[in-house]
Amino acid sequence: MPYSVPKLKDFSAKALDKAADKLLAALAVESEAVKNADGLKAFRDRWMARSGGVLTQINDLWLKAAPKEAKREVGQRVNQLKSAVTQAVEACQPGPAKTAIRVNAPPDSALDITLPGIRRPLGVEHPVVKTMNEIVSVFRNLGYSVEEGPEIETDYYNFEALNFPANHPARDTQDTLMIAGQQAKLARDRLLLRTHTSPVQIRTMEKQPPPVRVVCPGKVHRNDAPDATHSPIFHQVEGLAVDTNITFCDLKGTLDHAMKALFGSGVKTRFYPSFFPFTEPSADVQISCIFCGGKGTRDGAPCRNCKASGWIELLGCGMVDPNVLGLVGYDPKKVSGFAFGMGVERIAILKYGVDDIQLFFHGDVRFLEQFS
C-alpha cells in the first residue's frame, strides 16, 4: 500500500513522533523503489508537488489542523520533514548509480567519501536583475554611487517632498497602493508602497550636501492591471546629479552616453517637452529604433516596434525643480541638478526582444533558461 498522510487527532509529542517515523519509513522505501528517470519524476511529484504532494498534505492536514497551542511544535516537525523529503529527493538517483538514502541515519554511520557529492546546479541572473545591473554599471563608470531605500514609504517622501502638493492631479496618475489603517495619521505620515524610487533621491539629499551623483535602483508598486506592457510590480533605475553650474546640456550628454552604452554607439537620442512635478523643465527621451535602425521600415514593411516612426520612447528626465532643492535644505540659487528615471523591464524588453512583460514574473524556467 502506498503511503497516505493520515489526519491527526492527537497532536502530542509522542503522536507526532510516531506519525513522522511512519512518513520517513515510507519515504525510504519509495526512494529505494526508484529504478529509472520516469520513476524519479513520479517520486518527486508524489512527495513535492504543490498540488496533492505529500509535503502539501502534511502542511494542510497537520499544521493547519493543529490547535493553536500545538502549532509551534507541529510547525517545527513539518519543517524537519520537509527538509528530509527534499534531501531524499535530491539524493535519489535511478538505476545502477543509485545509492541508498539514509533518513535520520545514526551519528556513527559510516560516510563513504569516495562517492560523488551532490552538486546544486548554478543559476544565472534573472534578465531583469541583469538589465538593472547593466544600467547601474554604466552610471557607476561615470562616477555615480548607488543608493537604496525602503519600499514602504511615507506620503511625504513619495509625494510632498517631490513637489506633489495635496490634491495635485499628478498624484492620480501614480495609481498608488496605500497601506490600510493609516487614517489616524497626518496625511504626510501615511504609509504607502512607493510608486517610484525618487524618494531615495530625497533621502540622499537630506543626508549629504552637494555635490551629489547617485543612481537609485529598486522595486516599485502601482495599482496597474497586468497585461503585456503593465505590471503592478516593476523595477526602476533613477538618477540624480546636483552641483554648481549643472545645465540641461549635462543631462543630455549623460543620457546620450548611457543610451549608447546600453544599445550601441549607433543609437541616436532626442528630447521633447514633457511634465513631471519634480523637474522643470522636463523632457521625455526617445532613442532611434534599434530594430529598424531609425528608418521606420524593416524588410519592406512598417516597423512594428517603433510604429513606423523610427523612434522608441524610453525614459523621462528634467532639471530638478527649485522647490525640491529648497525642501531638502539646498540653496537653488547656488546649486542646480538634473534627474532621470527609466523602467528596467522596458529596457529588458528591448534588449532581449520579449513581447510580454508578464513573462519576467511567471518564473517559467523554460523562458528564463534562454538567458543563461
Side-chain angles (χ1 to χ4, degrees):
M1 285 287 292
Y3 175 78
S4 60
V5 180
K7 291 184 179 180
L8 297 181
K9 295 181 180 180
D10 182 1
F11 291 90
S12 64
K14 184 177 180 181
L16 290 173
D17 286 339
K18 184 177 180 181
D21 289 342
K22 288 185 177 180
L23 185 147
L24 293 173
L27 174 64
V29 170
E30 293 190 23
S31 66
E32 287 295 324
V34 175
K35 302 299 182 182
N36 51 44
D38 290 339
L40 177 59
K41 182 179 184 304
F43 174 61
R44 181 188 299 110
D45 292 344
R46 167 163 161 69
W47 286 85
M48 302 187 67
R50 290 187 179 181
S51 177
V54 172
L55 291 183
T56 302
Q57 292 181 49
I58 64 173
N59 191 69
D60 294 339
L61 298 178
W62 295 3
L63 182 57
K64 292 183 179 179
K68 185 176 181 181
E69 61 274 10
K71 279 193 180 294
R72 181 174 182 179
E73 185 169 359
V74 176
Q76 292 176 348
R77 301 298 180 92
V78 169
N79 287 336
Q80 291 170 1
L81 292 174
K82 286 182 177 179
S83 178
V85 171
T86 302
Q87 292 177 8
V89 171
E90 290 178 349
C92 187
Q93 296 182 9
K98 185 174 181 295
T99 58
I101 300 169
R102 297 183 176 179
V103 182
N104 288 348
D108 59 348
S109 61
L111 175 64
D112 188 349
I113 62 173
T114 65
L115 292 175
I118 301 170
R119 293 188 178 182
R120 294 181 181 271
L122 294 178
V124 296
E125 289 181 325
H126 188 280
V128 171
V129 174
K130 182 178 180 180
T131 302
M132 186 157 59
N133 289 339
E134 289 178 6
I135 297 170
V136 169
S137 68
V138 169
F139 291 98
R140 287 180 70 99
N141 291 337
L142 292 174
Y144 285 67
S145 59
V146 180
E147 292 286 343
E148 296 181 337
E151 291 182 35
I152 298 179
E153 269 293 2
T154 63
D155 184 278
Y156 172 78
Y157 283 106
N158 198 77
F159 290 123
E160 186 178 334
L162 289 162
N163 207 35
F164 286 83
N167 301 320
H168 194 288
R171 290 192 182 215
D172 297 335
T173 65
Q174 298 286 320
D175 295 320
T176 310
L177 293 166
M178 310 296 294
I179 305 296
Q182 303 289 305
Q183 292 79 3
K185 295 182 178 180
L186 295 174
R188 61 176 2 203
D189 295 328
R190 293 175 183 175
L191 300 177
L192 48 85
L193 297 181
R194 67 180 181 187
T195 59
H196 42 197
T197 57
S198 300
V200 183
Q201 300 178 15
I202 300 298
R203 292 179 178 275
T204 301
M205 288 190 286
E206 287 180 343
K207 289 190 300 183
Q208 68 180 78
V212 174
R213 286 175 178 80
V214 295
V215 285
C216 312
K219 187 188 301 179
V220 298
H221 309 260
R222 295 187 187 178
N223 188 22
D224 286 335
D227 58 29
T229 57
H230 296 85
S231 172
I233 300 174
F234 57 101
H235 299 76
Q236 284 187 338
V237 174
E238 298 195 17
L240 171 72
V242 180
D243 204 345
T244 56
N245 300 319
I246 289 210
T247 68
F248 203 91
C249 292
D250 299 312
L251 170 60
K252 292 181 69 175
T254 299
L255 292 182
D256 183 72
H257 169 82
M259 294 303 103
K260 285 177 166 58
L262 290 170
F263 296 103
S265 59
V267 166
K268 298 178 181 179
T269 57
R270 73 176 184 181
F271 297 69
Y272 59 97
S274 185
F275 169 78
F276 303 106
F278 35 86
T279 55
E280 179 61 37
S282 304
D284 282 327
V285 182
Q286 292 182 336
I287 63 169
S288 56
C289 180
I290 61 176
F291 300 98
C292 67
K295 298 176 183 178
T297 59
R298 184 169 50 163
D299 298 329
C303 178
R304 293 193 304 173
N305 297 91
C306 63
K307 299 180 180 178
S309 68
W311 297 91
I312 296 176
E313 182 179 335
L314 208 58
L315 68 147
C317 65
M319 301 300 293
V320 179
D321 193 295
N323 290 339
V324 175
L325 296 174
L327 281 171
V328 297
Y330 288 7
D331 187 348
K333 294 181 180 180
K334 296 182 179 179
V335 297
S336 57
F338 63 73
F340 56 86
M342 62 191 79
V344 178
E345 285 82 359
R346 172 69 170 153
I347 293 180
I349 283 174
L350 293 177
K351 286 180 69 69
Y352 299 117
V354 178
D355 58 5
D356 188 345
I357 192 175
Q358 298 303 316
L359 292 171
F360 291 129
F361 305 110
H362 286 167
D364 189 331
V365 176
R366 295 169 299 178
F367 170 75
L368 297 176
E369 281 179 341
Q370 301 176 68
F371 306 95
S372 61

